[in-house]
Each structure stands twice: as C-alpha cells, then as structure tokens.
Amino acid sequence: MRENREAHTSKRKKRPTAKKYAKQSMTREEHRKHLKRLYLKTLLITLAVCLALLCAAYGVFLYMIGGLDRTEVDEDNLSVNESVNEKVINIALYGVDSRNHDYNGRSDVVMVASVNTKTGQVKLVSIARDTYVAIPGYNNTRINHAFSYGGPELAIRTLNENFGLDVTDYVAVNFDSLAEVIDAMGGVEVDVTEAERRQINAYLLSGEPLYETGYITLNGPQAVSYSRIRKIDNDDMRTSRQREVLASLFEKAKEINPLEYPSYVRKFAPMVQTSLSNDELLKLASVGLKGSSLTLDQAAFPNEYIHAEGQTIGGAWYYIYDLAQAKDMLHKYLYEDIPFAQYASSEDEEKD
C-alpha cells in the first residue's frame, strides 16, 4: 500500500519553482524586446529605402532640368503685390524677338500664366505688346520694350506695377527655340485661313511653305510665323493666334505618357530661360501630374469688355486703355475666378 502511494506520488507533476517562473518571465520580456528591435529595424530599413527612392527621383529631376538656362531676379526690385491669393502662382511668359538663340531684344509675346495649385486650373492672359504703360526709370511706352531695356527683372516689375500682380518668376523663349519645341511635340493644330496662309509663307524663316488651309497641323517654323501675323488684321488677333498655338501645345502635353515626361523635359530644358527654382518647378510639376484633369482658360488685354483705342504718340502707335480697370478685371479673373464677361455685367448693374 505504502509502495503504491509512493509510486502514485512520484507520477504527479512537480509544481514550478519560483526560479522557473522567473525564467519564463524573462523569456517573455526578451521576446518583447526582440519584437521591438525587429520593428525598429524594419522601420529604419523602410525609411532608408524611401529616402533612397526620393534621392533617386530627385536625381532624375536634376538630370531632366540640367540644361535649363537659369537666371535670378531680385524680388526686392519687382514691386510684388503681396495681398493676393497664395494658392495662385503667376508666372510671366515672354517670347523674345531674337533669332540667335539668345534673349536680347523686345518681348513680342507678353503673357501671364496663372496656375491654381488647388484646382489645377491654368489661365493664360495675353497683354498686347503695344499696350501703353509706364516703365520704371523710362518714359511711357510699349510694354514689350521693358525686356529690352532691363531684361526680365524690369519686364516683371513693369507687369506688377501696371497690373498689380505678384509675379516673381518668368519663363522666356526665343523664336528659334519655340519652333524647335513645336517640332518636338509633333506640330500644332490650328485653323488657318487663306490670308493667314499667305502671311505664313511671306514671313517663313525656314522650312517648307504651307499649301493648305483649314484645320491643319503646322510645323515649328510655320507655327512661329503664324504667331507673328498681324498685318492682315490687328494685334488682338495676333495675341489670339499666339494663345491658340500654346493651347494646342497644352492639349498635346496632356496626352503625353507620364513615363515619357523625363525625356521631354530633358529635351526642352535647354530651349528656355527661367528664374524658377527647383522647389518651384517641383511644385508646378505636382500640379502637372493632374494630367487630363487640368483645364486651360484664355483671356487678353485689351478685350471687348474694356474700352481701348489706338493712338499715335510721338510718331509711334500705341494701345491705350484704362489700366486701373484692367488691373481690377485681371485680379477678379485670376484670384476670384470671375470671367471678364461676368465682371462687365456686374459693372453695368452697379451703374444702373
């Protein structure tokens, strides 16, 4: 009996000792520490990979824009209007009358490209080159003279002072480079009349003459010649043609496969001059990634909603219109998204 009891007792499991409990507890603690170390290691590896990808992407970006003709403008000399909408970026666009691949001369194309970083809306506003304005340090004269008098810095200041804008950067292209850009994009589609066709051929600097009319594709030299026509009508139609060419390029750009962006940017970079910094270009590029959702609106000064007349002063012909009214119209359009027609209607209602 006693032997059976002892045998039965010997088969019972022994209770864990305090030492064993401590050993089990330490194992769980070590396990937690191991998981923590694993988590931190994974996090660090992930961050390192992300950083490497970002560095690589930024390296590609720097490679793409490596050929840009970069200049600097002193913002303290630009008469920038600070009290405007920060979500809207305004950039001056200049087409310089030079055929030597330089940027010395008058800006026969004067535009403001306005980008709403929140909505992706792009607005393009032409200002007639013969617009009579005050150029700081010089007499009142055509707005396109500012670029030849003092380069992009004076040209931007003239825009800001006469139209109350907040422009701090510009993009300039000469006519030779514009032709190359258009050719690289496969030409532009525009509606050409017979009178315009004759003018295109009369002032074509290179390449094949144009034999067709209607909605056709123009190559680079033909499109540049088309953009400069004004003898058959007026400067309003000239700026309209310029915007038509840029609108066609805009639509073509939207169709480009994003994977092809680097090659296009690399190709176009040497053809333009700009003061935009890398950070500013990246910000604009993020808007450009909206692709097909981007929209383009166009406007011009003078227009049918503002009284304008041509005057000869000192033997030169100028466009004269109320710049204070133009400034107000432009502000409403760029910053409050009020079209010129709506602005004019509200003005008429106030008068009544």
Side-chain angles (χ1 to χ4, degrees):
M1 225 26 203
R2 183 177 177 183
E3 290 177 357
N4 290 340
R5 222 174 17 252
E6 289 177 354
H8 180 70
T9 302
S10 64
K11 290 179 182 179
R12 291 178 183 173
K13 292 182 179 180
K14 294 182 179 180
R15 294 181 179 179
T17 62
K19 185 176 181 180
K20 190 170 184 179
Y21 271 127
K23 186 176 181 180
Q24 289 176 348
S25 177
M26 286 175 62
T27 302
R28 285 194 295 271
E29 183 64 27
E30 289 174 353
H31 182 63
R32 281 195 296 271
K33 289 181 179 180
H34 174 71
L35 289 177
K36 186 176 181 181
R37 285 195 297 269
L38 183 61
Y39 170 77
L40 290 173
K41 185 177 180 181
T42 304
L43 180 61
L44 287 173
I45 291 174
T46 303
L47 289 174
V49 171
C50 289
L51 183 60
L53 290 174
L54 286 173
C55 289
Y58 191 66
V60 171
F61 170 74
L62 292 178
Y63 169 78
M64 289 191 299
I65 63 172
L68 272 176
D69 183 355
R70 307 294 279 273
T71 61
E72 292 185 4
V73 291
D74 186 353
E75 290 192 20
D76 292 335
N77 293 330
L78 300 181
S79 300
V80 177
N81 181 3
E82 302 289 353
S83 58
V84 290
N85 189 340
E86 294 182 354
K87 293 184 175 118
V88 175
I89 299 174
N90 293 316
I91 302 166
L93 303 183
Y94 298 108
V96 183
D97 187 10
S98 169
R99 299 175 186 86
N100 300 316
H101 287 280
D102 59 28
Y103 299 91
N104 300 316
R106 293 186 297 269
S107 54
D108 277 358
V109 177
V110 181
M111 294 185 182
V112 177
S114 183
V115 182
N116 189 310
T117 57
K118 184 178 180 181
T119 65
Q121 186 180 42
V122 180
K123 295 175 182 175
L124 197 61
V125 183
S126 297
I127 298 174
R129 69 170 191 167
D130 294 328
T131 296
Y132 192 64
V133 299
I135 297 180
Y138 296 85
N139 296 325
N140 285 27
T141 186
R142 293 188 180 100
I143 194 171
N144 71 329
H145 285 190
F147 202 99
S148 62
Y149 289 164
E153 194 167 288
L154 181 60
I156 294 172
R157 182 179 175 185
T158 300
L159 264 179
N160 286 338
E161 289 196 5
N162 286 275
F163 293 91
L165 295 174
D166 60 344
V167 176
T168 58
D169 289 292
Y170 79 100
V171 175
V173 61
N174 59 50
F175 287 119
D176 281 344
S177 296
L178 179 59
E180 293 178 26
V181 170
I182 291 170
D183 279 336
M185 294 292 287
V188 292
E189 287 76 35
V190 296
D191 193 3
V192 178
T193 66
E194 175 58 25
E196 289 171 333
R197 184 193 70 81
R198 290 196 297 268
Q199 287 292 302
I200 288 172
N201 291 340
Y203 297 97
L204 191 63
L205 297 176
S206 63
E208 292 294 319
L210 184 65
Y211 299 105
E212 302 174 88
T213 59
Y215 194 72
I216 56 176
T217 300
L218 301 182
N219 62 29
Q222 291 169 349
V224 169
S225 185
Y226 173 79
S227 299
R228 305 189 71 186
I229 296 172
R230 71 170 181 150
K231 287 191 175 181
I232 58 174
D233 34 51
N234 52 45
D235 206 38
D236 295 348
M237 291 301 299
R238 174 191 172 105
T239 60
S240 176
R241 293 184 188 101
Q242 293 167 356
R243 293 194 308 276
E244 189 178 3
V245 168
L246 291 182
S248 180
L249 285 174
F250 179 83
E251 292 301 320
K252 286 208 162 192
K254 287 166 61 176
E255 297 171 2
I256 296 175
N257 186 323
L259 295 177
E260 297 177 351
Y261 286 168
S263 63
Y264 275 96
V265 174
R266 181 68 177 177
K267 186 186 299 182
F268 294 153
M271 301 179 188
V272 299
Q273 183 183 79
T274 185
S275 62
L276 288 163
S277 67
N278 289 348
D279 289 343
E280 289 165 334
L281 287 170
L282 282 170
K283 188 174 183 179
L284 290 171
S286 67
V287 178
L289 292 176
K290 295 179 183 291
S292 59
S293 65
L294 288 171
T295 60
L296 176 64
D297 291 333
Q298 301 183 49
F301 284 104
N303 55 69
E304 61 185 297
Y305 306 108
I306 187 171
H307 175 71
E309 59 183 13
Q311 287 187 19
T312 300
I313 303 174
W317 190 91
Y318 300 96
Y319 247 137
I320 309 292
Y321 50 92
D322 188 341
L323 290 179
Q325 183 185 4
K327 171 183 173 181
D328 193 40
M329 288 178 70
L330 189 56
H331 273 234
K332 293 288 196 302
Y333 177 60
L334 296 182
Y335 303 116
E336 300 177 31
D337 202 24
I338 297 176
F340 289 172
Q342 184 179 335
Y343 173 91
S345 297
S346 62
E347 287 284 294
D348 292 338
E349 288 176 4
E350 288 179 9
K351 290 177 183 178
D352 294 339

